[in-house]
Amino acid sequence: MADGAAWWQSGVIYQVYPRSFQDSNGDGVGDLPGILARLDHLQALGVDALWVSPIYPSPMADFGYDVSDYTGIHPLFGTMEDFDRLLAELHRRGMKLILDFVPNHSSDRHPWFQASRSSRDDPKRDWYIWRDPAPDGGPPNNWLSEFGGGAWEWDAATGQYYYHAYLKEQPDLNWRNPALRDAMLDALRVWLDRGVDGFRVDAIHHLIKDAQFRDNPPNPGWREGMSPVRRVIRLHTVDQPEVHDAIAAMRRVADGYGPDRLLIGEAYLPIDQLMAYYGADLTGFQLPFNFHLLSTPWEAKTLAALIRTYEAALPPGGWPNWVLGNHDRSRVASRLGRGQARVAAMLLLTLRGTPTLYQGDEIGMTDVDIPPDRVQDPWEKNIPGLGLGRDPVRTPIPWDDRPRGGFTTGEPWLPLGPDHDRVNVAAQAADPSSMLALHRALLALRRAEPALSVGRYEPVSAENDILSYERRHGTGRFRVLLNLSAGERMVDAVPDAAHIRLSTHLDRGGEPVSGILRLRPDEGVVIGFDDKGKGGE
Ligand code: GLC
């Protein structure tokens, strides 16, 4: 922990997608004992906290994001004893555990929804969002589902529609109902009581919908090939002002357990809207996920502008964060190519703010082509062929060069990538120039030098495909130079008395720098000024 910063400010978060991390019982799906068995890898990597995607009981219509019991463990993943063992072992190693909290919707199999749909008079009827049909008998308004089709499902037994922002198997909870709100906050308390260190809160911008149920306006920017939900602008279905009261209530619960419990919010929003998720006087999320590196063109000027805009937009005291990948988006090594994925790792791990690493990105996994008969993701099944499906980024981690990559002894639920005989953890652990070696070196440098985690960010330049900035803290001063091109670049005017601390090619540590510096294709370097400059790598 650097200089009084909270653990979640100086630390690095690693996302585990448990179905694909490590299987321990041969059923082809990863589980909690599997995670426990692989903690040495995460510790050697040097991450501080694990965020684990949902492990709760679930019919798996959306692979765990359809929760049927907020306080249990799905037998597929193990038992509550397995969970407690994992949590204790993480804490013994000085690491934190963050769970996924899915407040916007439950599974349609959740007992609450079963009760809610049983009759219009059921006390839990109002825990979900029920509406009468429009005068023509059709859905109450034009709201659409993220996963394709309308967002209203007809319930013949009670003669009303219910709203689902995602699948019809994921009915939206009604956070305007105080009893529902209390029940959800109680679920947080159950896990906080067990000792978890925080939550990544799912799809938070969807939590509250327009009280008047007005139609969403058409989106003039929609084109064939875009996700059908974008045919409308989600004016009345996402980012409603009352969401911040609900977030503040979650935060009060977390704060009741001390200042170290962390809430991260998932909201894909433009920067100005995102900032509101820190809450008035920082009473909201400590970290509203910043996803803008996922979509910003990989070009020096646009990236410099993104960093500048984001930094400038932060509320006073608001702590930044950066994300390069997750279980919903194309992998960084596929988006940018393997060479630039190394540069991107250096960017992620030297920017000011908390980085989140997605499992497998530390070995440069790429998106895996999924044959049609192996498609699992309901999004791809509902709207095939638009590239919306998320299976390609959710394939199992190859741990070694065994046939199923050491992930399972059974049939993996998704196929492993064709290159897993080479792109695997064991091979890269033995290779001092590998992507894994680069991640370990970056994380170690970041840990050793507070300037790189909690230090100031100072832009230097964005020209000729080179993005350059400095990080400073106390006497520590570092300059990062990232060659975003596949060609060689000469960089002018690097002040002297500096040394390369780390190159993405892992072969220049300790090299003195003065005047003109040659950067090879896809090369990034961290340069250290002052007496700390020697050594490295
Ligand atoms: C979030 C999750 C995604 C899930 C959706 C619905 O965006 O990251 O995987 O499908 O919410 O819960």
Side-chain angles (χ1 to χ4, degrees), residues 85 104 111 133 139 152 157 187 196 260 278 343 391 394 435 440-441 475 492 514 521 523 525:
R85 256 194 299 279
N104 179 68
W152 294 99
V196 307
D260 263 6
Y278 284 95
V343 176
D391 296 331
R394 296 177 173 181
M435 184 68 152
R440 287 179 178 174
T475 57
D492 213 354
S514 75
E523 182 173 33
V525 293

Side-chain angles (χ1 to χ4, degrees), residues 432-433 500 502-511 520 523 537:
S433 66
I500 294 181
L502 188 63
S503 158
T504 50
H505 294 29
L506 293 165
D507 58 358
R508 292 176 86 173
E511 194 179 296
R520 291 166 289 176
E523 182 173 33
E537 286 176 15

Side-chain angles (χ1 to χ4, degrees), residues 298 300 342-344 346-348 350 465-469 480-485 504 519 523-525:
W298 201 249
R342 295 175 80 107
V343 176
M346 184 169 272
L347 175 70
L348 175 73
T350 58
D465 298 323
I466 306 290
L467 175 64
S468 174
Y469 50 90
V480 181
L481 291 151
L482 305 174
N483 179 358
L484 305 181
S485 81
T504 50
L519 287 178
E523 182 173 33
V525 293

Side-chain angles (χ1 to χ4, degrees), residues 216-474:
N216 275 326
N219 175 9
W222 185 85
R223 299 282 174 275
E224 207 61 53
M226 287 169 68
S227 182
V229 70
R230 299 300 168 137
R231 281 175 182 273
V232 294
I233 293 169
R234 298 174 302 175
L235 185 66
H236 299 304
T237 41
V238 303
D239 196 29
Q240 302 299 295
E242 301 96 319
V243 71
H244 300 294
D245 300 335
I247 297 168
M250 295 177 199
R251 178 67 184 274
R252 282 194 297 274
V253 170
D255 282 354
Y257 289 78
D260 263 6
R261 310 290 175 118
L262 171 65
L263 293 184
I264 310 170
E266 187 216 23
Y268 286 86
L269 291 172
I271 289 173
D272 51 343
Q273 283 165 268
L274 185 63
M275 292 304 150
Y277 288 73
Y278 284 95
D281 301 321
L282 304 182
T283 52
F285 294 119
Q286 289 104 323
L287 302 176
F289 262 145
N290 165 12
F291 293 122
H292 289 273
L293 282 179
L294 294 167
S295 52
T296 300
W298 201 249
E299 196 272 321
K301 283 201 181 355
T302 49
L303 289 174
L306 164 66
I307 300 164
R308 188 177 56 241
T309 309
Y310 176 71
E311 283 272 353
L314 289 166
W319 185 249
N321 76 92
W322 298 94
V323 176
L324 264 185
N326 61 34
H327 65 298
D328 294 326
R329 296 294 161 125
S330 179
R331 283 193 180 271
V332 60
S334 287
R335 294 199 316 270
L336 304 177
R338 287 193 193 279
Q340 281 300 309
R342 295 175 80 107
V343 176
M346 184 169 272
L347 175 70
L348 175 73
L349 293 167
T350 58
L351 279 175
R352 192 176 85 99
T354 307
T356 301
L357 260 177
Y358 177 46
Q359 74 175 34
D361 283 350
E362 77 273 29
I363 56 169
M365 284 175 72
T366 48
D367 297 350
V368 175
D369 278 339
I370 307 296
D373 63 327
R374 305 255 346 230
V375 168
Q376 300 273 2
D377 186 5
W379 202 355
E380 180 67 29
K381 288 184 177 170
N382 286 354
I383 317 170
L386 294 186
L388 298 169
R390 299 161 295 176
D391 296 331
V393 310
R394 296 177 173 181
T395 60
I397 299 283
W399 292 97
D400 54 43
D401 60 6
R402 283 179 284 169
R404 296 170 204 88
F407 165 70
T408 182
T409 53
E411 178 63 17
W413 76 288
L414 282 172
L416 280 87
D419 55 2
H420 72 265
D421 54 332
R422 283 167 293 118
V423 180
N424 66 62
V425 173
Q428 294 199 15
D431 172 2
S433 66
S434 67
M435 184 68 152
L436 179 57
L438 174 62
H439 276 88
R440 287 179 178 174
L442 280 165
L443 279 151
L445 184 60
R446 187 182 172 92
R447 188 177 297 278
E449 299 291 355
L452 292 174
S453 55
V454 299
R456 293 192 304 284
Y457 167 85
E458 291 175 11
V460 174
S461 64
E463 278 162 10
N464 194 20
D465 298 323
I466 306 290
L467 175 64
S468 174
Y469 50 90
E470 289 196 0
R471 303 293 313 281
R472 296 186 194 216
H473 184 75

Side-chain angles (χ1 to χ4, degrees), residues 15 17 51 53-54 62-66 100 102 104-105 146-147 165-167 170 200-206 266 268 291 326-329 377-379 390 394:
Q15 181 190 356
Y17 188 72
W51 148 37
S53 282
D62 189 21
F63 296 102
Y65 286 94
D66 49 321
D100 214 308
V102 189
N104 179 68
H105 43 267
E146 294 290 320
F147 287 157
Y166 293 88
L167 298 173
Q170 296 168 293
R200 172 268 191 191
V201 184
D202 185 72
I204 190 64
H205 49 322
H206 281 277
E266 187 216 23
Y268 286 86
F291 293 122
N326 61 34
H327 65 298
D328 294 326
R329 296 294 161 125
D377 186 5
W379 202 355
R390 299 161 295 176
R394 296 177 173 181

Side-chain angles (χ1 to χ4, degrees), residues 59 67-70 106-115 128 184:
V67 179
S68 53
D69 172 2
Y70 284 100
S106 74
S107 162
D108 63 344
R109 305 293 169 79
H110 196 296
W112 296 345
F113 188 69
Q114 298 291 316
Y128 292 82
M184 290 300 281

